[in-house]
Amino acid sequence: MNELFKALLINEQEGKFTKEIKALSPDQLPQHELLIRVHYSSVNYKDALSATGNKGVTRTYPHVPGIDAAGVVVRSQSELFKAGEEVLVTGWDLGMNTWGGFGEYISVPAAWALKLPGGLSMQEAMSFGTAGLTAGLSIHRLLNAGIKPENGEIAVSGATGGVGSIAVAILAKNGFNVAAVSGKKEEAFLLDTLGAKRIIPRDEFSATYDKKPLSAPTFAAGIDTVGGPILSGMLKATHYGGIVTACGMVAANDLHTSVFPFILRGVTLAGIDSVQAPMEIRQEVWTLLATSWKPAQLNNMIEEISLSDLPEKLEAILAGKARGRYVLAHAHR
């Protein structure tokens, strides 16, 4: 492959970071087993951090962010994949220190890729992306802990964001009553589009459930995407034997709680990591996302964008103004 390809390139000059859509050479990509022509990517909080020069996400620049990609194998040096196969890549080092899905091509190890499950288009795969995988891993943990719809209400924080919105929609589709915790007044989106049963404003949630060492048991389980007082409030308000998953820190990266939820109610706090999750679990969750977990309203939860839209959308995510998911469609698809 000799043709140039377009990408959003982040450059560092004297400690300042710039975003530029640029034509790049495939020779600039790492030489891994798979060369993939990217048709779709998606926009995540981690991408926004990488695009601002956050060295905790990306160590060296210039860099092409994009921790998600779905596309077609152009060249394979692995027996696991053939040219022409549709694949998706999420997590591992993609978009962090390996150039990612904000470019029209990526080169990755075969161990990072997964064949696109039947029943899922490339666009749908990126409508889920890392956010959908993280939501799916969270729900997977709840179900494996024995949580059923009849056990009671499930609290989901950051409910208008990527992980939260998908978690609400999947839970609602599968018969759970969801209390959506959000700082945004998005009643139609949360109740009508996603299927939540009620909305709890973020400040009200903290004031109600995070002021005492233990609160009245209200929720069968919780999915927290923001951290801080929302997470501690969920733990304090979860029924006996319940479980709360934690996957984010946009509100805070610390946790202030007592041991009471754990030793008096047997509550479990389960950490969710989508970066290095084992491939067999990824495969199981992606198969569910492609079938019984796929929300009928998935297309209404996303906004399809182009490369030229990316800088604005990255800023919106950092400012907490995003709703649902942004899916990047490359022009050559």
Side-chain angles (χ1 to χ4, degrees), residues 47-69:
D47 299 320
L49 292 177
S50 176
T52 61
N54 186 303
K55 295 298 179 75
V57 176
T58 301
R59 294 188 297 271
T60 59
Y61 294 82
H63 178 65
V64 177
I67 62 173
D68 296 336

mmCIF file with all atom_site columns, all heavy atoms in Angstrom, residues 47-69:
data_model
loop_
_atom_site.group_PDB
_atom_site.id
_atom_site.type_symbol
_atom_site.label_atom_id
_atom_site.label_alt_id
_atom_site.label_comp_id
_atom_site.label_asym_id
_atom_site.label_entity_id
_atom_site.label_seq_id
_atom_site.pdbx_PDB_ins_code
_atom_site.Cartn_x
_atom_site.Cartn_y
_atom_site.Cartn_z
_atom_site.occupancy
_atom_site.B_iso_or_equiv
_atom_site.pdbx_formal_charge
_atom_site.auth_seq_id
_atom_site.auth_comp_id
_atom_site.auth_asym_id
_atom_site.auth_atom_id
_atom_site.pdbx_PDB_model_num
ATOM 1   N N   . ASP A 1 47 ? -9.811  9.409  24.347 1.00 0.00 ? 47 ASP A N   1
ATOM 2   C CA  . ASP A 1 47 ? -9.343  10.052 23.118 1.00 0.00 ? 47 ASP A CA  1
ATOM 3   C C   . ASP A 1 47 ? -9.187  11.555 23.327 1.00 0.00 ? 47 ASP A C   1
ATOM 4   O O   . ASP A 1 47 ? -8.237  12.174 22.839 1.00 0.00 ? 47 ASP A O   1
ATOM 5   C CB  . ASP A 1 47 ? -10.329 9.803  21.976 1.00 0.00 ? 47 ASP A CB  1
ATOM 6   C CG  . ASP A 1 47 ? -10.488 8.332  21.647 1.00 0.00 ? 47 ASP A CG  1
ATOM 7   O OD1 . ASP A 1 47 ? -9.484  7.613  21.652 1.00 0.00 ? 47 ASP A OD1 1
ATOM 8   O OD2 . ASP A 1 47 ? -11.632 7.915  21.393 1.00 0.00 ? 47 ASP A OD2 1
ATOM 9   N N   . ALA A 1 48 ? -10.156 12.139 24.037 1.00 0.00 ? 48 ALA A N   1
ATOM 10  C CA  . ALA A 1 48 ? -10.092 13.575 24.304 1.00 0.00 ? 48 ALA A CA  1
ATOM 11  C C   . ALA A 1 48 ? -8.871  13.909 25.151 1.00 0.00 ? 48 ALA A C   1
ATOM 12  O O   . ALA A 1 48 ? -8.197  14.924 24.926 1.00 0.00 ? 48 ALA A O   1
ATOM 13  C CB  . ALA A 1 48 ? -11.373 14.033 24.996 1.00 0.00 ? 48 ALA A CB  1
ATOM 14  N N   . LEU A 1 49 ? -8.548  13.059 26.127 1.00 0.00 ? 49 LEU A N   1
ATOM 15  C CA  . LEU A 1 49 ? -7.356  13.281 26.941 1.00 0.00 ? 49 LEU A CA  1
ATOM 16  C C   . LEU A 1 49 ? -6.091  13.165 26.095 1.00 0.00 ? 49 LEU A C   1
ATOM 17  O O   . LEU A 1 49 ? -5.182  14.001 26.195 1.00 0.00 ? 49 LEU A O   1
ATOM 18  C CB  . LEU A 1 49 ? -7.308  12.268 28.089 1.00 0.00 ? 49 LEU A CB  1
ATOM 19  C CG  . LEU A 1 49 ? -8.382  12.400 29.175 1.00 0.00 ? 49 LEU A CG  1
ATOM 20  C CD1 . LEU A 1 49 ? -8.237  11.270 30.186 1.00 0.00 ? 49 LEU A CD1 1
ATOM 21  C CD2 . LEU A 1 49 ? -8.288  13.747 29.872 1.00 0.00 ? 49 LEU A CD2 1
ATOM 22  N N   . SER A 1 50 ? -6.029  12.151 25.248 1.00 0.00 ? 50 SER A N   1
ATOM 23  C CA  . SER A 1 50 ? -4.873  11.975 24.374 1.00 0.00 ? 50 SER A CA  1
ATOM 24  C C   . SER A 1 50 ? -4.683  13.177 23.458 1.00 0.00 ? 50 SER A C   1
ATOM 25  O O   . SER A 1 50 ? -3.557  13.621 23.213 1.00 0.00 ? 50 SER A O   1
ATOM 26  C CB  . SER A 1 50 ? -5.033  10.705 23.532 1.00 0.00 ? 50 SER A CB  1
ATOM 27  O OG  . SER A 1 50 ? -3.971  10.562 22.615 1.00 0.00 ? 50 SER A OG  1
ATOM 28  N N   . ALA A 1 51 ? -5.786  13.740 22.970 1.00 0.00 ? 51 ALA A N   1
ATOM 29  C CA  . ALA A 1 51 ? -5.720  14.867 22.037 1.00 0.00 ? 51 ALA A CA  1
ATOM 30  C C   . ALA A 1 51 ? -5.292  16.162 22.704 1.00 0.00 ? 51 ALA A C   1
ATOM 31  O O   . ALA A 1 51 ? -4.934  17.127 22.016 1.00 0.00 ? 51 ALA A O   1
ATOM 32  C CB  . ALA A 1 51 ? -7.071  15.062 21.361 1.00 0.00 ? 51 ALA A CB  1
ATOM 33  N N   . THR A 1 52 ? -5.324  16.200 24.042 1.00 0.00 ? 52 THR A N   1
ATOM 34  C CA  . THR A 1 52 ? -4.872  17.395 24.752 1.00 0.00 ? 52 THR A CA  1
ATOM 35  C C   . THR A 1 52 ? -3.446  17.250 25.258 1.00 0.00 ? 52 THR A C   1
ATOM 36  O O   . THR A 1 52 ? -2.926  18.152 25.909 1.00 0.00 ? 52 THR A O   1
ATOM 37  C CB  . THR A 1 52 ? -5.784  17.711 25.954 1.00 0.00 ? 52 THR A CB  1
ATOM 38  O OG1 . THR A 1 52 ? -5.748  16.613 26.876 1.00 0.00 ? 52 THR A OG1 1
ATOM 39  C CG2 . THR A 1 52 ? -7.205  17.959 25.516 1.00 0.00 ? 52 THR A CG2 1
ATOM 40  N N   . GLY A 1 53 ? -2.811  16.097 24.978 1.00 0.00 ? 53 GLY A N   1
ATOM 41  C CA  . GLY A 1 53 ? -1.438  15.906 25.404 1.00 0.00 ? 53 GLY A CA  1
ATOM 42  C C   . GLY A 1 53 ? -1.281  15.272 26.761 1.00 0.00 ? 53 GLY A C   1
ATOM 43  O O   . GLY A 1 53 ? -0.228  15.399 27.399 1.00 0.00 ? 53 GLY A O   1
ATOM 44  N N   . ASN A 1 54 ? -2.317  14.580 27.240 1.00 0.00 ? 54 ASN A N   1
ATOM 45  C CA  . ASN A 1 54 ? -2.239  13.935 28.546 1.00 0.00 ? 54 ASN A CA  1
ATOM 46  C C   . ASN A 1 54 ? -1.233  12.781 28.503 1.00 0.00 ? 54 ASN A C   1
ATOM 47  O O   . ASN A 1 54 ? -1.467  11.754 27.867 1.00 0.00 ? 54 ASN A O   1
ATOM 48  C CB  . ASN A 1 54 ? -3.630  13.416 28.947 1.00 0.00 ? 54 ASN A CB  1
ATOM 49  C CG  . ASN A 1 54 ? -3.676  12.871 30.353 1.00 0.00 ? 54 ASN A CG  1
ATOM 50  O OD1 . ASN A 1 54 ? -2.938  11.972 30.708 1.00 0.00 ? 54 ASN A OD1 1
ATOM 51  N ND2 . ASN A 1 54 ? -4.574  13.426 31.163 1.00 0.00 ? 54 ASN A ND2 1
ATOM 52  N N   . LYS A 1 55 ? -0.102  12.960 29.192 1.00 0.00 ? 55 LYS A N   1
ATOM 53  C CA  . LYS A 1 55 ? 0.970   11.960 29.132 1.00 0.00 ? 55 LYS A CA  1
ATOM 54  C C   . LYS A 1 55 ? 0.645   10.694 29.918 1.00 0.00 ? 55 LYS A C   1
ATOM 55  O O   . LYS A 1 55 ? 1.341   9.694  29.800 1.00 0.00 ? 55 LYS A O   1
ATOM 56  C CB  . LYS A 1 55 ? 2.283   12.585 29.640 1.00 0.00 ? 55 LYS A CB  1
ATOM 57  C CG  . LYS A 1 55 ? 2.821   13.719 28.753 1.00 0.00 ? 55 LYS A CG  1
ATOM 58  C CD  . LYS A 1 55 ? 3.160   13.224 27.356 1.00 0.00 ? 55 LYS A CD  1
ATOM 59  C CE  . LYS A 1 55 ? 3.670   14.350 26.454 1.00 0.00 ? 55 LYS A CE  1
ATOM 60  N NZ  . LYS A 1 55 ? 5.031   14.775 26.717 1.00 0.00 ? 55 LYS A NZ  1
ATOM 61  N N   . GLY A 1 56 ? -0.424  10.743 30.716 1.00 0.00 ? 56 GLY A N   1
ATOM 62  C CA  . GLY A 1 56 ? -0.880  9.528  31.365 1.00 0.00 ? 56 GLY A CA  1
ATOM 63  C C   . GLY A 1 56 ? -1.571  8.586  30.399 1.00 0.00 ? 56 GLY A C   1
ATOM 64  O O   . GLY A 1 56 ? -1.716  7.396  30.671 1.00 0.00 ? 56 GLY A O   1
ATOM 65  N N   . VAL A 1 57 ? -2.003  9.118  29.245 1.00 0.00 ? 57 VAL A N   1
ATOM 66  C CA  . VAL A 1 57 ? -2.642  8.305  28.205 1.00 0.00 ? 57 VAL A CA  1
ATOM 67  C C   . VAL A 1 57 ? -1.670  8.042  27.068 1.00 0.00 ? 57 VAL A C   1
ATOM 68  O O   . VAL A 1 57 ? -1.491  6.902  26.630 1.00 0.00 ? 57 VAL A O   1
ATOM 69  C CB  . VAL A 1 57 ? -3.908  9.006  27.664 1.00 0.00 ? 57 VAL A CB  1
ATOM 70  C CG1 . VAL A 1 57 ? -4.523  8.200  26.521 1.00 0.00 ? 57 VAL A CG1 1
ATOM 71  C CG2 . VAL A 1 57 ? -4.928  9.202  28.776 1.00 0.00 ? 57 VAL A CG2 1
ATOM 72  N N   . THR A 1 58 ? -1.038  9.101  26.564 1.00 0.00 ? 58 THR A N   1
ATOM 73  C CA  . THR A 1 58 ? -0.128  8.986  25.420 1.00 0.00 ? 58 THR A CA  1
ATOM 74  C C   . THR A 1 58 ? 1.219   9.614  25.777 1.00 0.00 ? 58 THR A C   1
ATOM 75  O O   . THR A 1 58 ? 1.277   10.793 26.137 1.00 0.00 ? 58 THR A O   1
ATOM 76  C CB  . THR A 1 58 ? -0.729  9.693  24.188 1.00 0.00 ? 58 THR A CB  1
ATOM 77  O OG1 . THR A 1 58 ? -1.989  9.093  23.879 1.00 0.00 ? 58 THR A OG1 1
ATOM 78  C CG2 . THR A 1 58 ? 0.191   9.580  22.984 1.00 0.00 ? 58 THR A CG2 1
ATOM 79  N N   . ARG A 1 59 ? 2.273   8.833  25.672 1.00 0.00 ? 59 ARG A N   1
ATOM 80  C CA  . ARG A 1 59 ? 3.589   9.298  26.118 1.00 0.00 ? 59 ARG A CA  1
ATOM 81  C C   . ARG A 1 59 ? 4.306   10.152 25.091 1.00 0.00 ? 59 ARG A C   1
ATOM 82  O O   . ARG A 1 59 ? 5.005   11.101 25.441 1.00 0.00 ? 59 ARG A O   1
ATOM 83  C CB  . ARG A 1 59 ? 4.472   8.098  26.496 1.00 0.00 ? 59 ARG A CB  1
ATOM 84  C CG  . ARG A 1 59 ? 3.991   7.326  27.710 1.00 0.00 ? 59 ARG A CG  1
ATOM 85  C CD  . ARG A 1 59 ? 5.002   6.279  28.131 1.00 0.00 ? 59 ARG A CD  1
ATOM 86  N NE  . ARG A 1 59 ? 5.195   5.262  27.098 1.00 0.00 ? 59 ARG A NE  1
ATOM 87  C CZ  . ARG A 1 59 ? 4.469   4.141  27.013 1.00 0.00 ? 59 ARG A CZ  1
ATOM 88  N NH1 . ARG A 1 59 ? 3.497   3.915  27.878 1.00 0.00 ? 59 ARG A NH1 1
ATOM 89  N NH2 . ARG A 1 59 ? 4.703   3.264  26.056 1.00 0.00 ? 59 ARG A NH2 1
ATOM 90  N N   . THR A 1 60 ? 4.188   9.793  23.807 1.00 0.00 ? 60 THR A N   1
ATOM 91  C CA  . THR A 1 60 ? 4.974   10.482 22.787 1.00 0.00 ? 60 THR A CA  1
ATOM 92  C C   . THR A 1 60 ? 4.095   11.010 21.656 1.00 0.00 ? 60 THR A C   1
ATOM 93  O O   . THR A 1 60 ? 3.081   10.405 21.301 1.00 0.00 ? 60 THR A O   1
ATOM 94  C CB  . THR A 1 60 ? 6.051   9.544  22.182 1.00 0.00 ? 60 THR A CB  1
ATOM 95  O OG1 . THR A 1 60 ? 5.407   8.397  21.608 1.00 0.00 ? 60 THR A OG1 1
ATOM 96  C CG2 . THR A 1 60 ? 7.029   9.086  23.257 1.00 0.00 ? 60 THR A CG2 1
ATOM 97  N N   . TYR A 1 61 ? 4.506   12.134 21.107 1.00 0.00 ? 61 TYR A N   1
ATOM 98  C CA  . TYR A 1 61 ? 3.809   12.796 20.004 1.00 0.00 ? 61 TYR A CA  1
ATOM 99  C C   . TYR A 1 61 ? 4.823   13.102 18.917 1.00 0.00 ? 61 TYR A C   1
ATOM 100 O O   . TYR A 1 61 ? 6.010   13.221 19.210 1.00 0.00 ? 61 TYR A O   1
ATOM 101 C CB  . TYR A 1 61 ? 3.135   14.080 20.508 1.00 0.00 ? 61 TYR A CB  1
ATOM 102 C CG  . TYR A 1 61 ? 2.016   13.816 21.491 1.00 0.00 ? 61 TYR A CG  1
ATOM 103 C CD1 . TYR A 1 61 ? 2.298   13.575 22.837 1.00 0.00 ? 61 TYR A CD1 1
ATOM 104 C CD2 . TYR A 1 61 ? 0.687   13.781 21.082 1.00 0.00 ? 61 TYR A CD2 1
ATOM 105 C CE1 . TYR A 1 61 ? 1.275   13.315 23.740 1.00 0.00 ? 61 TYR A CE1 1
ATOM 106 C CE2 . TYR A 1 61 ? -0.334  13.529 21.991 1.00 0.00 ? 61 TYR A CE2 1
ATOM 107 C CZ  . TYR A 1 61 ? -0.036  13.298 23.322 1.00 0.00 ? 61 TYR A CZ  1
ATOM 108 O OH  . TYR A 1 61 ? -1.049  13.036 24.210 1.00 0.00 ? 61 TYR A OH  1
ATOM 109 N N   . PRO A 1 62 ? 4.394   13.220 17.641 1.00 0.00 ? 62 PRO A N   1
ATOM 110 C CA  . PRO A 1 62 ? 3.018   13.243 17.121 1.00 0.00 ? 62 PRO A CA  1
ATOM 111 C C   . PRO A 1 62 ? 2.297   11.913 17.311 1.00 0.00 ? 62 PRO A C   1
ATOM 112 O O   . PRO A 1 62 ? 2.921   10.862 17.376 1.00 0.00 ? 62 PRO A O   1
ATOM 113 C CB  . PRO A 1 62 ? 3.202   13.578 15.641 1.00 0.00 ? 62 PRO A CB  1
ATOM 114 C CG  . PRO A 1 62 ? 4.578   13.115 15.311 1.00 0.00 ? 62 PRO A CG  1
ATOM 115 C CD  . PRO A 1 62 ? 5.391   13.338 16.551 1.00 0.00 ? 62 PRO A CD  1
ATOM 116 N N   . HIS A 1 63 ? 0.976   12.040 17.361 1.00 0.00 ? 63 HIS A N   1
ATOM 117 C CA  . HIS A 1 63 ? 0.158   10.873 17.663 1.00 0.00 ? 63 HIS A CA  1
ATOM 118 C C   . HIS A 1 63 ? -1.208  10.989 16.999 1.00 0.00 ? 63 HIS A C   1
ATOM 119 O O   . HIS A 1 63 ? -1.745  12.086 16.848 1.00 0.00 ? 63 HIS A O   1
ATOM 120 C CB  . HIS A 1 63 ? -0.023  10.747 19.181 1.00 0.00 ? 63 HIS A CB  1
ATOM 121 C CG  . HIS A 1 63 ? -0.888  9.604  19.602 1.00 0.00 ? 63 HIS A CG  1
ATOM 122 N ND1 . HIS A 1 63 ? -0.526  8.289  19.383 1.00 0.00 ? 63 HIS A ND1 1
ATOM 123 C CD2 . HIS A 1 63 ? -2.106  9.569  20.210 1.00 0.00 ? 63 HIS A CD2 1
ATOM 124 C CE1 . HIS A 1 63 ? -1.480  7.504  19.848 1.00 0.00 ? 63 HIS A CE1 1
ATOM 125 N NE2 . HIS A 1 63 ? -2.442  8.257  20.350 1.00 0.00 ? 63 HIS A NE2 1
ATOM 126 N N   . VAL A 1 64 ? -1.765  9.826  16.629 1.00 0.00 ? 64 VAL A N   1
ATOM 127 C CA  . VAL A 1 64 ? -3.131  9.732  16.106 1.00 0.00 ? 64 VAL A CA  1
ATOM 128 C C   . VAL A 1 64 ? -3.978  8.994  17.145 1.00 0.00 ? 64 VAL A C   1
ATOM 129 O O   . VAL A 1 64 ? -3.777  7.804  17.367 1.00 0.00 ? 64 VAL A O   1
ATOM 130 C CB  . VAL A 1 64 ? -3.180  8.979  14.759 1.00 0.00 ? 64 VAL A CB  1
ATOM 131 C CG1 . VAL A 1 64 ? -4.627  8.841  14.275 1.00 0.00 ? 64 VAL A CG1 1
ATOM 132 C CG2 . VAL A 1 64 ? -2.329  9.678  13.711 1.00 0.00 ? 64 VAL A CG2 1
ATOM 133 N N   . PRO A 1 65 ? -4.923  9.684  17.827 1.00 0.00 ? 65 PRO A N   1
ATOM 134 C CA  . PRO A 1 65 ? -5.758  9.012  18.824 1.00 0.00 ? 65 PRO A CA  1
ATOM 135 C C   . PRO A 1 65 ? -6.783  8.081  18.167 1.00 0.00 ? 65 PRO A C   1
ATOM 136 O O   . PRO A 1 65 ? -6.807  7.908  16.953 1.00 0.00 ? 65 PRO A O   1
ATOM 137 C CB  . PRO A 1 65 ? -6.449  10.172 19.553 1.00 0.00 ? 65 PRO A CB  1
ATOM 138 C CG  . PRO A 1 65 ? -5.707  11.404 19.153 1.00 0.00 ? 65 PRO A CG  1
ATOM 139 C CD  . PRO A 1 65 ? -5.170  11.122 17.775 1.00 0.00 ? 65 PRO A CD  1
ATOM 140 N N   . GLY A 1 66 ? -7.665  7.547  19.003 1.00 0.00 ? 66 GLY A N   1
ATOM 141 C CA  . GLY A 1 66 ? -8.738  6.663  18.519 1.00 0.00 ? 66 GLY A CA  1
ATOM 142 C C   . GLY A 1 66 ? -8.580  5.267  19.077 1.00 0.00 ? 66 GLY A C   1
ATOM 143 O O   . GLY A 1 66 ? -7.956  4.414  18.442 1.00 0.00 ? 66 GLY A O   1
ATOM 144 N N   . ILE A 1 67 ? -9.165  5.021  20.267 1.00 0.00 ? 67 ILE A N   1
ATOM 145 C CA  . ILE A 1 67 ? -8.986  3.728  20.923 1.00 0.00 ? 67 ILE A CA  1
ATOM 146 C C   . ILE A 1 67 ? -9.911  2.651  20.362 1.00 0.00 ? 67 ILE A C   1
ATOM 147 O O   . ILE A 1 67 ? -9.842  1.500  20.789 1.00 0.00 ? 67 ILE A O   1
ATOM 148 C CB  . ILE A 1 67 ? -9.171  3.839  22.451 1.00 0.00 ? 67 ILE A CB  1
ATOM 149 C CG1 . ILE A 1 67 ? -10.596 4.290  22.805 1.00 0.00 ? 67 ILE A CG1 1
ATOM 150 C CG2 . ILE A 1 67 ? -8.148  4.791  23.048 1.00 0.00 ? 67 ILE A CG2 1
ATOM 151 C CD1 . ILE A 1 67 ? -10.897 4.254  24.305 1.00 0.00 ? 67 ILE A CD1 1
ATOM 152 N N   . ASP A 1 68 ? -10.763 3.025  19.395 1.00 0.00 ? 68 ASP A N   1
ATOM 153 C CA  . ASP A 1 68 ? -11.687 2.083  18.760 1.00 0.00 ? 68 ASP A CA  1
ATOM 154 C C   . ASP A 1 68 ? -11.525 2.119  17.249 1.00 0.00 ? 68 ASP A C   1
ATOM 155 O O   . ASP A 1 68 ? -11.295 3.194  16.687 1.00 0.00 ? 68 ASP A O   1
ATOM 156 C CB  . ASP A 1 68 ? -13.144 2.442  19.073 1.00 0.00 ? 68 ASP A CB  1
ATOM 157 C CG  . ASP A 1 68 ? -13.494 2.326  20.544 1.00 0.00 ? 68 ASP A CG  1
ATOM 158 O OD1 . ASP A 1 68 ? -12.810 1.563  21.251 1.00 0.00 ? 68 ASP A OD1 1
ATOM 159 O OD2 . ASP A 1 68 ? -14.450 2.989  20.975 1.00 0.00 ? 68 ASP A OD2 1
ATOM 160 N N   . ALA A 1 69 ? -11.698 0.978  16.608 1.00 0.00 ? 69 ALA A N   1
ATOM 161 C CA  . ALA A 1 69 ? -11.686 0.940  15.140 1.00 0.00 ? 69 ALA A CA  1
ATOM 162 C C   . ALA A 1 69 ? -12.440 -0.282 14.649 1.00 0.00 ? 69 ALA A C   1
ATOM 163 O O   . ALA A 1 69 ? -12.354 -1.359 15.242 1.00 0.00 ? 69 ALA A O   1
ATOM 164 C CB  . ALA A 1 69 ? -10.257 0.916  14.610 1.00 0.00 ? 69 ALA A CB  1
#
